[in-house]
Every structure is written in structure tokens, then in C-alpha cells.
Amino acid sequence: MNAPDRLPPAMRADTTAWPQAQADDEHYRGLIAQIGSEIGQSLSSALERVNALATTGKIDRPGLRALRDEIELARRVGMMGQQLARFASGRVRQSPETLSLTQMARDVLVQRGRELTARGLDVRQAMRPVDVIVDATLLHTLLQALLDWTLEHARGAVEFRIDLRPWPPHARLSCHFSHLPPLMPDDGVVARDEDEAGGVARLDTLSWRLVQQIAWTLKLGIERVEGAGGSTAVTLEFPQTVTEQIEGVTAIEIDQGFGVSDNSKPLAGAQVLVLAARRDLRGDIRDATRHMGLVVDFVGSVEEAEEFCRDALPQAVIYESTLGGQRFERLRASIEAEVPQFVFIEVTPEGDRFQLSNEGTRTHATIGREAVAASLPSALIFELSRAM
């Protein structure tokens, strides 16, 4: 797959770096219409399945899974709409710090490994070690959004590359994949051309708009290039890259231009699984996290948690201590074997505090039942930020 800077200019489909369109009312009217359209399409399909269920009284397992996926997609689109509104408001202030772009990208790929495998995607990495100066939470959110969009469209192999632009010495993160399935030998040229013509439009989903908006918020360069045969390449360029020296000034000495962080929803869009059998505890956790913009799913048994995590991992698990037996420990061990820094937060029946305790090489977070409302949001922010 060709790198974006080697493709002919005519094939550069989308080049943006803090565009004027961000302040354009028409731009945001289009986004609002797109949110409504994508939610409507997903819920319309789900409603057809519910109507069929009401008529026949039956639904098979694949149909039930499809219904769940359609409702989940509608929820996801609604959540992305909230994220877009928050980022576009301009009120998200940042606390840039020196981070390893390479390590964070690798961690996100490991955390999402089960989803990639379930989709049959072969991930290839060519990442040189690079440090950048950027807000950690927003960078993590951007990488998650980029992977969401990639999972939505990629077919076959996906390549992630990190390199350094010669001059100015900016770090570049590139994602390359094909968004069209391989052509069968008897497929016609007309069908292929129609697929390629519609492929670019299909890529402009709300998940792509979110990638764009976060990149603009971080003031990164972003370019998307559509190549022949349905190939797609996205490149993110980081102006604040740590290098040994830039014209006699170290990168750390460059004015970062941001104020102190007061991001009210730093974890918006993050997925959290709650393992709790008691309805009142579920309600308290839901109320405590409602303002955080999280995607929260609830299961009532370890078996359900295993099923939930089989194809895709959340970013944290909050669990009721009474369910933390041997089977749960096996689930925890299998997850930590893939993602050593995975976040588990235990809710104990009694107590009014959040605390960390060390168990060997593992740090164990616990919250007393009486502290859920007051301490759970802070605990999630602390733990997930630490795991990034």
C-alpha cells in the first residue's frame, strides 16, 4: 500500500488542518443531519426485527445478535454526537505532556485486539519510537476513534505506521487499509467502479467526523487519501514532536499554548462493563457515571461477562465483590494476559472510601458501597488515565 505522500495529488480526497469549516454553520448543520440519519437507519432496522418478533413470537440467535448490534450502533452514534458537540464547543482545555506516541498506539491496538481478530483483520505495525507533546486523554480518545472508524470499514490487512517527517521534523501516524472486499474473478468492471465511487461517501461516517474533530481540537494535521482499488490511507501529523533540537531550541521549550486542563468529560466515549447482580448497585453506578459520557454496559453474572468480553474488551470492568470468585479470577487473568494494565475496580459491600492496594505486581482498586456516588467518577478518571 502506498504512503499518502507518494500518491498523485488528484487522489488526495481529504486534507484538513484546523479548517475554516469548523466555524461554518452549514458544516454543523450537516453533522446534525448525519447524526439523525445514522441513528434513524439503525433504529429502523431494529424496529423491523422487533415487529417481526411481535408477529411471530420468535427470534433466532443470529437475529437477536443483529438486533443488539443495531441498538448498540444507535447508542454509539448518539454518544459520538455528544462527543462532537463537546469538542466543537472549544471549551475542552488541555494539559499537554511528553508522551510516547508509539507506546500509546501499541497499547490501544493490544486493548482492541479481540475486536480486530473477531473482524478477521490482520494488523501490521511499523512504528519507530517517537515522543510527542500532547494532552494524554485526548490522544487516547483520538486513537480509539481512529480504530473505531477503521474497524467499521477495513477489509483484510490494516497497517499502522509511525515515522518522522524529515523537515519540519513532525511525527506522523498513518493507518492504511482497503475498504472494499477483494473482487471475485467474475466481477465486472462496472460493479467495481460503482463500489469505488460510493466507497468514499461510505467512509464519511460519524466516526470519521469524530476523528477529524479531535484532530482539529489537538491542532494536528490530518489527511485522508483514497487510492485505486478501494485503498485508504489516513495520516495524522504532530507539530509538537520531541526531537533533539529544532533550530537551537529543544521541543520541550516551545510554547505549548494551552491552559490548565478543566476537561469535564475526559473519558467520554470510553466503554465500561459493570458486573453486578444487585439492581440497586447497578442504579447507583449508572447515576454516578451518567455525567461522564461513558458507554456503560451491565451484566449480572461472570458467565455474561465472559460472553461480553469474548469478541471485544471494554476499557474497564467495575465488579461487585461478591461475584469475584474463581471463575472471575480466570476471566481477569485472561484479560490481563493480553492487557497487563487493564482497569478493574471492585465495589465492596461496606465502606465509604476509594483505595488502592498492591497484590504482588498488581494494583487493586476498591470502592466501598457507600462511596460509589462520590468516589467512582474520580476513581475511573484516575485508573483509566493511569492505564493510558
Side-chain angles (χ1 to χ4, degrees), residues 35 38-39 42 69-83 112 115 144 148 206-207 210 268-272 293-297 308 313-315:
I35 293 169
E38 291 192 21
I39 290 177
S42 182
D69 289 346
E70 287 156 354
I71 295 173
E72 171 63 23
L73 177 58
R75 181 177 68 160
R76 275 279 182 189
V77 172
M79 189 67 66
M80 284 189 287
Q82 292 178 347
Q83 288 180 277
R112 305 290 293 274
E115 289 174 84
Q144 292 283 358
D148 285 340
L206 206 64
S207 56
L210 183 58
Q271 187 170 29
V272 175
L294 299 169
V295 178
V296 182
D297 291 282
F308 185 95
L313 289 178
Q315 287 164 262

Side-chain angles (χ1 to χ4, degrees), residues 148-312:
D148 285 340
W149 177 71
T150 301
L151 283 163
E152 189 177 334
H153 300 287
R155 303 290 185 271
V158 180
E159 179 184 347
F160 288 90
R161 179 181 297 274
I162 294 178
D163 61 9
L164 197 65
R165 178 178 173 179
W167 190 259
H170 294 170
R172 295 183 299 191
L173 168 65
S174 301
C175 174
H176 303 209
F177 60 85
S178 174
H179 62 268
L180 296 179
L183 293 173
M184 299 301 291
D186 58 347
D187 282 344
V189 175
V190 173
R192 180 190 64 194
D193 290 344
E194 288 177 352
D195 281 345
E196 291 184 6
V200 174
R202 287 197 298 271
L203 292 171
D204 290 331
T205 54
L206 206 64
S207 56
W208 169 250
R209 302 302 182 194
L210 183 58
V211 172
Q212 282 183 312
Q213 186 65 62
I214 301 171
W216 295 340
T217 300
L218 286 168
K219 298 188 178 180
L220 307 182
I222 177 170
E223 179 178 66
R224 195 181 89 201
V225 180
E226 313 304 336
S231 66
T232 298
V234 174
T235 299
L236 296 165
E237 185 169 314
F238 293 77
Q240 291 191 297
T241 298
V242 178
T243 58
E244 292 183 1
Q245 193 167 344
I246 302 177
E247 294 185 350
V249 181
T250 62
I252 300 298
E253 295 171 327
I254 297 175
D255 179 18
Q256 297 177 1
F258 295 107
V260 178
S261 176
D262 62 355
N263 189 350
S264 62
K265 293 186 179 180
L267 304 177
Q271 187 170 29
V272 175
L273 177 65
V274 177
L275 169 58
R278 293 171 53 186
R279 181 173 297 180
D280 60 334
L281 178 57
R282 290 187 183 204
D284 287 348
I285 292 174
R286 182 183 290 109
D287 291 341
T289 58
R290 191 185 305 276
H291 70 285
M292 300 179 71
L294 299 169
V295 178
V296 182
D297 291 282
F298 294 86
V299 294
S301 68
V302 178
E303 292 83 353
E304 291 179 56
E306 290 172 336
E307 178 68 24
F308 185 95
C309 295
R310 183 163 290 120
D311 293 337

